[in-house]
Amino acid sequence: MRIHRRTLLALALATGLTAPSLAWAEDSIKIGLLATFEGPFTVLGEDGERGAMTAVDEVSGMVAGKKIEIVKGSSDASPDSAVRAARKLVEQDGVKVLVGPLSGDEGIAVKDYAKTHPEVTFVNGSSAAQDTTLRDPASNFFRFGTDGAQWMAGLGTYAFNEKGYKKVATVAEDYSFPYTQVFGFMAEFCKAGGTVPSKSWVPIGNKDYSSVIAAIPDDVDAIYVALGGADGVNFLTQYQQAGGSAPLIGGSITVDQTVLTSKGKIRDVLIGTPSAGPIADTNDTAEWKSFVDAYKKQPNAFPSPSLFAHAYYLDMKALLMALNETGGDVSDGGKKLQETLAKVSFDGPTGKVSLDKNRNAIADMYLTEVSEGTDGNLYNKLVKVVPQVNQTLGMAEDEFLKLGVVGRDNPSCP
């Protein structure tokens, strides 16, 4: 006998159950999806959603015998907007599991919010600030997509030894994720003998880069750029128009498909740019090709998945695996689900993914260079795989923590 929904609601009210509890008692599972669907990182958020939905489609929209119901939350890359969106998803929409957010400062803010709701399970989207998980982690926050310093594995050494760059200036957005990327690059570059005499930090959404370009020293061998979305496009366009001639080194988001698919002469600036990150467009493994084929079935997909699509895919996939194993049951305040998530390990499109004790991923990283494909599109060509990079970049944790919190002035090798 099927009990009518209104009857269930009446029973719930009579017994003190809340509507969110019913979301798990019935035949569907609500999953919050938080991404930047507004602001300068909108294109990034839209591709993050494509990655998450690729994982959902992989299981035909069902987990533990229940239909997956996606409830979207929108932010603009600011921490306040991310927390507002997370709060609405949890406190109004009643989600007990949430995937997101996308950007660095957002991740730290949502991690702190997660501590106020231990009964809710938070799985990162693509936010890659180091201290989302390294320092003061939340026991109910999980990241299967690694952090921005891990993404830089191999790049600093390659820039110094293979490209011959000895003196590099940096241009990056002024918040936690680019701090983390610059830290990861400089950790190797400075150790190899390189110097970084100039750092320029710009706000998200900056439109005019003329003063930034003018401040770059003339005698640098290259410019390391960590700007994403519209910010990356605007800088590269203005640098090209200003006649800039120094070669570039790309932060992961600067040579991502969200930037490489832009039209215009910035293509000429980007070709040959070395970078590193969690993906390589020309990865020829069967697992990566299968992921690309599945991703391309999403509406308005790029020629190749962005790192945001990849990260959201990994995090959604891990969550669905854990939900399936626990039967989608969070009636114990999410304890069993969180215990299961902490032990999840799987072979994804880019190799093995597992978590450390802080619930941060250990995974393969990819050294790349931008090249033009036979179809005329720009891709990140695989140069080298750096296997199973952990969050402390191979160092003992206590030694790594002594390097200090990433920021504008840390590290430094002038």
Side-chain angles (χ1 to χ4, degrees), residues 310-330:
H310 172 257
Y312 270 82
Y313 170 82
L314 290 181
D315 282 299
M316 181 64 81
K317 180 180 178 67
L319 174 60
L320 295 178
M321 291 174 66
L323 282 170
N324 190 62
E325 186 171 336
T326 57
D329 181 15
V330 292

Side-chain angles (χ1 to χ4, degrees), residues 208-209 222 228 406:
D208 183 0
Y209 286 90
V406 299

Side-chain angles (χ1 to χ4, degrees), residues 190-213:
C190 297
K191 185 176 181 180
T195 61
V196 179
S198 168
K199 294 180 184 177
S200 297
W201 303 104
V202 297
I204 294 177
N206 188 57
K207 299 292 193 298
D208 183 0
Y209 286 90
S210 57
S211 61
V212 174
I213 293 169

